[in-house]
């Protein structure tokens, strides 16, 4: 911190010094927010272990009332599931309807994916995290080596994502007469109701997968069809705290089923249909 302050105060040009001070304040404010989350989580863990608020207060050197305040101050512990700073959501792109590649079409995302981003943005906003989205080009090339990153893109649209998914020994996408999801450990196939009898339902994959540089992970969401990813986001909206308690920020994967309104495409219900497969000890 001292070195940062010294660097900023020694900048000769006033406007540059002001800009550096603003940037450093934003960084420190982000750290304060994350530390308040860590503090809240630690107090919750202490209470869950059997400690009373009075005992915690004695250990912290504060009043019992202050412990109650600290236990509800700051973002919820599950914020860490998504990261510690601005989140980038990468959405799979496709060519603009009615245009061929040689017509220089713009790359667009589906209605379902844009809806997904809006739901994610609201969920993240409630935990004091900002979000932006980017469109993965139709080449499927996406930079996975980033912090605070969510990828919403089927493996058929991105060979890079497909390559990473091959490292999941338990769950994967497969195609025979139609794309579906396979639980290799249970030997069970999850075929989309859309492909079976046309009913409004789908399955989706949710996991935390390794970055290609080996220096972290990214969250991955994909459905057999686009609506399946909406089911995964719906599941996160309604089960995030419980999911975070189970997996924290470690690597895992699971499958989610969903049912939706065929007229509005709004997801009505979602549930986990496989175990939470851990990818590490």
């Amino acid at each position: 911190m001292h070195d940062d302050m010294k660097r900023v105060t020694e900048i000769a040009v006033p406007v540059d010094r002001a800009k550096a001070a603003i940037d450093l304040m934003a960084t420190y404010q982000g750290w304060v927010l994350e530390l308040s989350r860590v503090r809240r989580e630690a107090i919750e863990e202490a209470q869950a272990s059997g400690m009373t608020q009075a005992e915690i207060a004695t250990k912290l050197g504060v009043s019992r009332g202050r412990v109650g305040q600290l236990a509800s101050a700051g973002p919820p512990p599950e914020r860490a599931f998504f990261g510690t700073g601005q989140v980038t959501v990468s959405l799979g792109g496709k060519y603009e309807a009615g245009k061929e590649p040689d017509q220089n079409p713009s790359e667009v995302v589906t209605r379902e994916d844009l809806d997904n981003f809006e739901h994610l943005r609201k969920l993240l906003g409630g935990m004091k995290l900002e979000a932006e989205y980017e469109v993965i080009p139709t080449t499927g090339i996406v930079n996975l080596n980033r912090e605070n990153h969510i990828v919403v893109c089927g493996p058929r649209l991105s060979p890079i994502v497909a390559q990473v998914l091959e490292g999941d020994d338990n769950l994967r996408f497969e195609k025979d007469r139609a794309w579906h999801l396979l639980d290799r450990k249970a030997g069970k196939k999850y075929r989309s109701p859309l492909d079976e009898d046309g009913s409004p339902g789908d399955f989706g994959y949710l996991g935390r997968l390794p970055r290609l540089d080996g220096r972290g992970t990214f969250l991955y969401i994909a459905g057999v069809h686009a609506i399946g990813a909406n089911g995964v986001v719906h599941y996160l909206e309604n089960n995030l705290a419980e999911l975070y308690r189970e997996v924290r920020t470690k690597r895992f994967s699971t499958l989610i089923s969903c049912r939706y309104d065929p007229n509005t495409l709004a997801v009505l219900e979602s549930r986990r249909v496989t175990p939470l497969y851990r990818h590490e000890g």
Side-chain angles (χ1 to χ4, degrees):
M1 179 181 293
H2 180 267
D3 290 343
D4 287 337
M5 290 290 293
K6 189 171 185 294
R7 173 181 58 81
V8 171
T9 56
E10 290 179 351
I11 295 174
V13 180
V15 173
D16 291 345
R17 189 163 65 247
K19 174 68 165 59
I22 291 169
D23 291 344
L24 188 57
M25 287 172 67
T27 298
Y28 284 172
Q29 286 166 355
W31 290 351
V32 168
L33 199 59
E34 176 60 12
L35 285 169
S36 67
R37 185 204 68 79
V38 171
R39 180 185 61 194
R40 178 174 172 176
E41 183 174 40
I43 291 173
E44 288 184 7
E45 287 180 3
Q47 290 178 315
S49 72
M51 289 184 71
T52 65
Q53 283 197 352
E55 290 171 333
I56 295 170
T58 300
K59 291 285 187 182
L60 296 181
V62 299
S63 69
R64 182 175 174 179
R66 180 59 176 155
V67 170
Q69 292 174 341
L70 295 178
S72 60
E78 57 268 24
R79 177 183 193 262
F81 188 80
F82 295 107
T84 58
Q86 180 164 300
V87 175
T88 300
V89 182
S90 298
L91 304 175
K94 64 176 186 175
Y95 285 122
E96 194 174 0
K99 293 188 178 181
E100 297 300 322
D102 58 3
Q103 293 179 293
N104 296 318
S106 58
E107 285 157 344
V108 297
V109 295
T110 65
R111 170 186 168 187
E112 293 93 330
D113 279 343
L114 283 177
D115 185 56
N116 261 337
F117 174 73
E118 281 306 307
H119 279 268
L120 283 170
R121 187 179 61 79
K122 290 177 184 176
L123 176 61
L124 292 164
M127 293 181 286
K128 302 187 186 303
L129 283 170
E130 294 184 0
E132 63 178 2
Y133 81 85
E134 65 180 17
V135 181
I136 300 173
T138 51
T139 57
I141 302 300
V142 56
N143 176 17
L144 301 177
N145 300 329
R146 289 180 278 177
E147 300 289 332
N148 313 319
H149 190 199
I150 303 173
V151 176
V152 184
C153 174
R156 75 193 89 172
L157 298 179
S158 174
I160 293 177
V161 168
Q163 181 181 349
V164 175
L165 274 172
E166 288 179 3
D168 186 342
D169 295 328
N170 302 297
L171 305 171
R172 65 178 48 190
F173 284 85
E174 211 178 48
K175 185 180 183 182
D176 43 29
R177 57 185 169 83
W179 281 97
H180 58 273
L181 281 156
L182 170 68
D183 182 337
R184 299 179 69 194
K185 185 159 286 189
K188 183 174 181 180
K189 294 182 178 182
Y190 291 88
R191 296 186 181 277
S192 173
L194 280 169
D195 298 320
E196 296 298 285
D197 57 16
S199 59
D202 201 17
F203 291 99
Y205 178 107
L206 167 64
R208 184 181 299 280
L209 302 177
R211 288 168 24 174
L212 296 178
D213 63 3
R215 297 177 181 175
T217 60
F218 66 95
L219 281 174
Y220 180 64
I221 296 170
V224 174
H225 297 280
I227 196 70
N230 295 58
V232 173
V233 172
H234 182 274
Y235 178 82
L236 289 174
E237 288 176 307
N238 292 281
N239 300 276
L240 181 59
E242 178 187 355
L243 178 63
Y244 176 72
R245 284 194 295 269
E246 290 287 333
V247 299
R248 300 291 173 137
T249 57
K250 293 187 175 181
R251 288 164 49 197
F252 76 96
S253 60
T254 192
L255 300 185
I256 307 297
S257 72
C258 73
R259 186 173 62 84
Y260 64 94
D261 184 319
N263 297 314
T264 65
L265 299 183
V267 176
L268 303 173
E269 63 179 25
S270 59
R271 64 186 179 91
R272 184 161 56 84
V273 294
T274 67
L276 289 167
Y277 288 117
R278 272 81 168 177
H279 296 187
E280 54 191 279

